[in-house]
């Protein structure tokens, strides 16, 4: 099994998600270390995400699978956010066959006054095969 999920549609631009950890040993909360690399930018954080007992619709896996299922497009922006906003994903369909997948990392821990650092990269994926492969790979990785 792979030690990390890597989304790298273009050279130099990468989103890396490391193996989920179960810090409390109960399956309800997982943490994932995640990194962004883009044109001289390097950022990393640890995000709290839903564990194995949550409805698929609320999970990161469910979010990306929904994007892949709607490959023909949608209006507006779809978003998913980790428990304490350390990882946020937004997706737009351009209506011409591509998904713009924005990945934002923030400093770990609760940021009630919205003053923590953040870093963002936008990945362009073909809405059909590339998005489907990304969703399948990420979902399989997070279940491992």
């Amino acid at each position: 099994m792979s030690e990390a999920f890597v989304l790298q549609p273009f050279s130099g631009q990468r989103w890396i998600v490391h193996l989920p950890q179960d810090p409390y040993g109960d399956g309800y909360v997982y943490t994932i270390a995640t990194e962004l690399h883009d044109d001289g930018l390097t950022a990393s954080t640890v995000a709290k995400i839903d564990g194995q007992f949550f409805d698929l619709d609320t999970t990161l896996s469910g979010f990306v699978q929904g994007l892949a299922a709607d490959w023909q497009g949608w209006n507006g922006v779809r978003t998913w956010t980790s428990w304490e906003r350390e990882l946020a994903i937004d997706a737009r369909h351009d209506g011409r066959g591509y998904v713009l997948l924005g990945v934002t990392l923030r400093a770990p821990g609760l940021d009630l006054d919205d003053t923590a650092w953040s870093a963002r990269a936008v990945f362009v994926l073909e809405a059909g095969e590339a998005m489907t492969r990304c969703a399948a790979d990420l979902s399989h990785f997070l279940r491992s």
Side-chain angles (χ1 to χ4, degrees), residues 22-75:
D22 185 354
Y24 308 110
D26 61 6
Y28 284 96
V29 177
Y30 289 159
T31 59
I32 53 171
T34 183
E35 306 169 29
L36 275 179
H37 302 272
D38 187 15
D39 197 22
L41 166 80
T42 299
S44 63
T45 195
V46 176
K48 291 180 182 160
I49 63 171
D50 294 339
Q52 64 185 352
F53 299 114
F54 284 83
D55 182 13
L56 183 63
D57 293 339
T58 66
T59 66
L60 178 54
S61 294
F63 177 74
V64 295
Q65 287 176 10
L67 299 176
D70 292 339
W71 64 272
Q72 291 180 316
W74 60 86
N75 292 322

Side-chain angles (χ1 to χ4, degrees), residues 56-101:
L56 183 63
D57 293 339
T58 66
T59 66
L60 178 54
S61 294
F63 177 74
V64 295
Q65 287 176 10
L67 299 176
D70 292 339
W71 64 272
Q72 291 180 316
W74 60 86
N75 292 322
V77 179
R78 293 184 177 179
T79 60
W80 177 90
T81 306
S82 65
W83 286 24
E84 294 180 352
R85 297 181 3 163
E86 313 93 342
L87 172 60
I89 311 292
D90 60 86
R92 293 171 179 78
H93 193 287
D94 71 355
R96 295 175 297 206
Y98 291 91
V99 173
L100 292 94
L101 191 69

Side-chain angles (χ1 to χ4, degrees), residues 111-117:
D111 179 28
L112 296 176
D113 60 359
D114 206 24
T115 58
W117 64 261

Side-chain angles (χ1 to χ4, degrees), residues 7 9-15 35-43 101 103 119-124:
L7 176 62
F10 302 105
S11 71
Q13 186 184 42
R14 288 176 297 164
W15 175 36
E35 306 169 29
L36 275 179
H37 302 272
D38 187 15
D39 197 22
L41 166 80
T42 299
L101 191 69
V103 177
R120 177 178 165 81
V122 177
F123 299 84
V124 179

